[in-house]
Amino acid sequence: MTTARPTAVIILAAGEGTRMKSATPKVLHRIGGRSLLGHALVAARGSHAESVVVVVRHDRDRVAAHATEVDEAAVIADQDEIKGTGRAAECGLMVLPEGLSGTVLITSGDTPLLTAETITALFTAHDTSASAVTVLTARVPDPTGYGRILRADDDSVLGIVEHKDATDDQREITEINSGIWAFDVDVLRTALGSVGTDNSQGEKYLTDVLAIASDGGHRVGAHLIDDLWQTEGVNDRVQLAALGRELNRRNNEKWMREGVTIVDPATTWIDADVTLGRDATILPNTQLLGATSVGAGARIGPDTTLTDTEVGEGAEVKRTEANLAQIGAQATVGPFSYLRPGTVLGTKGKIGGFVETKNAKIGDGAKVPHLTYAGDATIGDGANIGAGTIFANYDGVNKHHTTIGKHSFIGSDTVLIAPVDVADGAYVAAGSALTGDVEPGQIAVARGRQKNVDGWVARARAGSQTAAAAQAAADAGTRHTEKNPEPTTESQEKKA
Ligand code: UD1
Ligand code: CA
């Protein structure tokens, strides 16, 4: 009867979760970047069971689709109109091959902190004690709502009574049924055949199997764990938040032990699938979400949200929102930058304050330092984009691409009206509205020429303080230096 690994894990996920008061089924609510069911599936798979089954009913198609999206090998079992955890387990067994033997583990889709290690420990305790039924239990300060473990004077487990069916004395018991079980598959199948629905909820209780097996002379046991969080289920949104915070606390602690500095774990939220390199530093109020990865020695935050974003080694990302972006090694981003999907910043590149980028490939050492929108752009290595540059990529109907060559220089306050192509080693003068391509070595000046009108203030603003200041300057003979050769005055124009 001893097997090296569990035959199957059956995850019960057919319930609606009415106390969530939600259009979304309970098991699809998320903490730590995964649905509750997603956490259950990852833990189940981590036990190396031969099969993982998910029992569904409420919002069946949505839950089933999500389950196979998280774990494509998961087997879906449909529960019929007969209610209760016992019926759910029975329906789960029905999708497994007939002559199956060994150990079946049963878990809940709403118990997200349960780990693969605990499932494996339960399996091992069950297997080595040659039990037919082993229930995972915990002693909790407030057992309200849980099934209570009934033990004999010699501590052997006799049965489980649901809170709703318990006497006042039984309600004093603080050892609870976690809803996580190991069963000999034959004993479970046979016992479920004789479980009725004679209880306060009119449901087929899985908990009844324990007493039936015990009465049938089978060995039943309990595996008590100290870590209460792992046995806690989500029933409402208050528990969802509490378990989410605890999950995050555990995950942060894991990363700190791996060599990551987290300055303020309480305000740092890191999803389950995020990876972090050694000596990375995470500053307060930072969220690292989805499949984000952070390279060794990088510094992230404060006040930063990165979703599905890759950050290279030694990069620095401050007060930034980024989604599906790649930030190169030693690059700097922020403060107040918005990186949208398709942003790729090269090694030692820079995206500075009040810059928004989208589908923009920015080369090694290239700089987009201030107040810019760069959409649908390729910016060559070492190029410099002046303050206030706009890549006008959208003509109201279509999006167009702009290319800026290597080591080219775009003057401040330029509009690049796409499609436009600035070659390597070219300049665009500040204030240009560029509509045509620029060849290597050229400077493009695309703006009105400055024209100064003599005597305008005296005529148009007579009597103003400005006019008085102009008159005083003229009387004193004050003139500005001729450091800027470009402006022409009306008198010069007349002479010409
Ligand atoms: C159950 C246990 C209780 C235990 C508690 C731990 C029974 C009868 N009671 O109670 O002893 O202390 O879990 O959290 O087993 N489900 C189905 N189909 C159903 C009913 C439930 O798949 O017909 C699933 C739910 O989606 C959920 C899990 O089984 O994932 C537990 O169901 P729930 O209704 O929350 O059971 P509890 O009343 O909490
Ligand atoms: Ca429950």
Side-chain angles (χ1 to χ4, degrees), residues 83-399:
K83 283 188 173 168
T85 49
R87 183 59 181 174
E90 211 168 18
C91 294
L93 286 175
M94 281 185 222
V95 301
L96 293 170
E98 272 290 316
L100 213 61
S101 62
T103 301
V104 169
L105 296 157
I106 297 201
T107 68
S108 258
D110 64 355
T111 313
L113 265 57
L114 180 72
T115 63
E117 291 70 32
T118 299
I119 297 178
T120 302
L122 171 65
F123 169 68
T124 305
H126 174 81
D127 203 44
T128 54
S129 64
S131 296
V133 181
T134 308
V135 58
L136 187 74
T137 69
R139 285 190 200 284
V140 299
D142 178 12
T144 308
Y146 286 102
R148 308 298 207 284
I149 305 297
L150 308 177
R151 290 187 186 253
D153 291 340
D154 66 356
D155 245 19
S156 61
V157 180
L158 297 174
I160 297 176
V161 59
E162 287 305 287
H163 181 92
K164 286 179 183 152
D165 303 304
T167 65
D168 286 347
D169 279 352
Q170 288 169 332
R171 287 184 181 180
E172 296 293 311
I173 298 169
T174 57
E175 187 182 6
I176 58 100
N177 167 24
S178 68
I180 298 150
W181 306 80
F183 292 102
D184 175 82
V185 65
D186 289 326
V187 172
L188 177 62
R189 228 189 269 266
T190 310
L192 279 171
S194 56
V195 171
T197 56
D198 182 19
N199 52 57
S200 64
Q201 303 186 85
E203 293 185 359
K204 195 160 177 172
Y205 286 171
L206 181 58
T207 44
D208 287 352
V209 167
L210 197 142
I212 294 169
S214 175
D215 292 348
H218 295 286
R219 193 185 169 90
V220 303
H223 182 64
L224 182 71
I225 63 164
D226 294 329
D227 184 3
L228 308 182
W229 287 105
Q230 288 202 48
T231 66
E232 196 160 321
V234 171
N235 294 307
D236 60 27
R237 300 200 201 218
V238 175
Q239 282 172 310
L240 185 75
L243 286 171
R245 180 166 285 283
E246 176 61 16
L247 180 70
N248 190 58
R249 194 192 65 75
R250 291 177 178 213
N251 193 39
N252 283 347
E253 211 169 281
K254 178 195 85 178
W255 285 116
M256 289 187 275
R257 293 192 199 289
E258 292 287 325
V260 173
T261 294
I262 298 179
V263 173
D264 183 16
T267 63
T268 301
W269 293 83
I270 301 178
D271 277 356
D273 293 324
V274 169
T275 59
L276 297 158
R278 273 203 179 185
D279 288 316
T281 298
I282 314 300
L283 296 162
N285 290 315
T286 294
Q287 293 151 286
L288 304 176
L289 308 178
T292 292
S293 67
V294 173
R299 239 178 121 77
I300 313 292
D303 305 327
T304 292
T305 303
L306 307 182
T307 306
D308 299 326
T309 288
E310 199 180 311
V311 180
E313 294 189 358
E316 195 172 332
V317 183
K318 279 183 196 169
R319 297 186 203 278
T320 289
E321 170 100 25
N323 187 9
L324 280 166
Q326 276 169 261
I327 296 166
Q330 259 82 51
T332 59
V333 176
F336 309 110
S337 308
Y338 180 27
L339 279 57
R340 293 167 51 202
T343 297
V344 180
L345 178 62
T347 302
K348 295 187 177 165
K350 179 182 174 75
I351 293 175
F354 303 102
V355 171
E356 176 177 337
T357 58
K358 185 218 74 177
N359 192 22
K361 190 173 181 313
I362 302 166
D364 294 347
K367 293 186 166 65
V368 189
H370 337 268
L371 301 156
T372 287
Y373 172 62
D376 298 307
T378 304
I379 298 171
D381 295 348
N384 191 303
I385 308 300
T389 297
I390 305 297
F391 289 64
N393 60 327
Y394 184 50
D395 61 14
V397 181
N398 295 306
K399 300 273 169 72

Side-chain angles (χ1 to χ4, degrees), residues 463-492:
S464 69
Q465 288 191 341
T466 308
Q471 187 59 53
D475 293 349
T478 309
R479 292 198 50 84
H480 288 279
T481 56
E482 286 171 15
K483 65 184 176 192
N484 186 342
E486 198 182 310
T488 53
T489 61
E490 266 181 351
S491 52
Q492 283 167 332

